[in-house]
Amino acid sequence: MSENVFVISAAMIPFGKHRTSSYVGLAVSPLIDAIRDAGIEKSDVDAVYVGHSYGGMMTGQRICKEIGLGTVPTVNVDNACSSGATAIHEAWQAISQGLIDIAVVIGVEKLTQFGGGTLPLSPEDREVKQGIIMPAVYAMRATRYLHETDATPEDLALVSVKARKHGALNPFAQFRKETTVEEVLNARRVADPLTLPMCCPTGDGAAVVVLASERARKRLDSKPGIRVAASVLHSGHVAEGFRDMIKPEISYDSARDAYAMAGVGPKDLDMIELHDAFSIAELIYYEAFGLAEPGHGVDLIRDGKTTFGGDVVVNPSGGLLSKGHPVGASGVAQVAEAFWQLTDQAGARQIDKARWAMTHVTGGGTAGLDHGACTIHIFEAA
């Protein structure tokens, strides 16, 4: 029998360039805050799951030992940008199957260690060898989307403008200054038609959430929490040769399965935190999630349907474009935002009467797959 699982606390540090911090230094503070806010002792923790991609051997153990949290299983999870969300999925599985009652999930990454530029990718990947790195992939998607629809570069800029507007309200966002369409379009070009503000910034960060079974939550005297209504993890279809650049089947499939598991549809959602690593991604994912018909995602950003006061608030945190994208931490930070929104703790960016939230993060580009991994969670206020 599957048990209900709840997120009962969340904490994070402001994402940014923390050049003098180690992985341990980034993660210890939110780890302490999340355990304290959950109202638990270290001895209550049954397992720790740690998402990161570039932290090296035993990152989780090195973090936990700093607060004296040992002996329990500590699992290090690498699934590229989906690492943190995959760690949450693993914790959810263990609790829902009745194996454990309380799990701590840490997402952490330090990208300033690479000195700037694009993310290091596998030198063995044949597409990487040909220069198909992430900005190139999304530039091709943007070019195709502009060709197939009536979208324009101004529409791509509108996504960045919305992200900066939301990020200006979030004390954890890397960019907290609003921008204009003109500033976005006139910025340095990274990969045509994408300019710099249409690409998420690199940076460092850490986020932590605590998950608990219904039994444990009752024992803890009903701390504020949100129910995990769906937790879905997919890998991409293997498809050599042609693939549709503007129809990421892994996100379509994951959303379909998440809606079925949660028993809700796109019209029920009050907020979505999605993987907007580049502005074009947001328009494509509107369509993947059923918010708009194929080719019409651009209408939502034009009509203001995905900001405060619209049909559903997409990336109220500012998303990756504004908050930043320390890859292993991003999926956990998305869930932290869902926790704060559904428990009425989001401050200036609070969505009125938010009840349902979805988080979505993809992971890695691999030759023959549109993405390596995709994790979607749906949460209900509880």
Side-chain angles (χ1 to χ4, degrees), residues 77-93 105 228 230-236 250-255 257-258 272-275 285 289 327 330-332 334-335 358-364 371-379:
V77 179
D78 171 13
N79 229 353
C81 304
S82 197
S83 297
T86 303
I88 290 173
H89 177 77
E90 295 297 306
W92 166 82
Q93 276 199 322
V105 182
V228 184
S231 180
V232 171
L233 170 63
H234 277 205
S235 295
I250 189 172
S251 289
Y252 276 81
D253 293 349
S254 299
D257 291 352
I272 300 172
E273 284 282 314
L274 60 75
H275 191 96
Y285 292 140
F289 300 161
V327 294
S330 294
V332 182
Q334 290 178 330
V335 175
M358 185 166 86
T359 62
H360 156 267
V361 59
T362 60
H371 280 111
C374 179
T375 315
I376 289 184
H377 287 93
I378 295 178
F379 300 97

Side-chain angles (χ1 to χ4, degrees), residues 19-158:
R19 299 184 190 282
T20 60
S21 288
S22 64
Y23 274 74
V24 172
L26 293 169
V28 163
S29 172
L31 175 59
I32 292 171
D33 290 346
I35 289 176
R36 180 200 62 214
D37 293 349
I40 62 174
E41 302 294 331
K42 287 180 289 187
S43 57
D44 294 318
V45 177
D46 296 315
V48 180
Y49 297 84
V50 186
H52 65 94
S53 283
Y54 301 105
M57 191 179 295
M58 301 289 108
T59 295
Q61 286 84 344
R62 286 189 277 118
I63 294 167
C64 291
K65 81 174 180 61
E66 291 297 316
I67 66 165
L69 179 56
T71 71
V72 299
T74 298
V75 181
N76 292 277
V77 179
D78 171 13
N79 229 353
C81 304
S82 197
S83 297
T86 303
I88 290 173
H89 177 77
E90 295 297 306
W92 166 82
Q93 276 199 322
I95 295 173
S96 66
Q97 293 172 6
L99 302 177
I100 60 174
D101 273 327
I102 295 177
V104 169
V105 182
I106 302 169
V108 59
E109 207 73 79
K110 180 177 172 62
L111 297 183
T112 56
Q113 65 180 304
F114 300 116
T118 59
L119 287 177
L121 300 175
S122 171
E124 298 177 352
D125 189 288
R126 64 179 183 275
E127 292 187 353
V128 172
K129 288 179 179 178
Q130 297 172 2
I132 310 297
I133 58 176
M134 288 302 168
V137 170
Y138 282 93
M140 287 191 286
R141 286 182 169 150
T143 300
R144 192 68 195 177
Y145 193 81
L146 299 186
H147 174 76
E148 295 281 356
T149 71
D150 67 349
T152 66
E154 284 77 12
D155 296 315
L156 300 177
L158 279 175

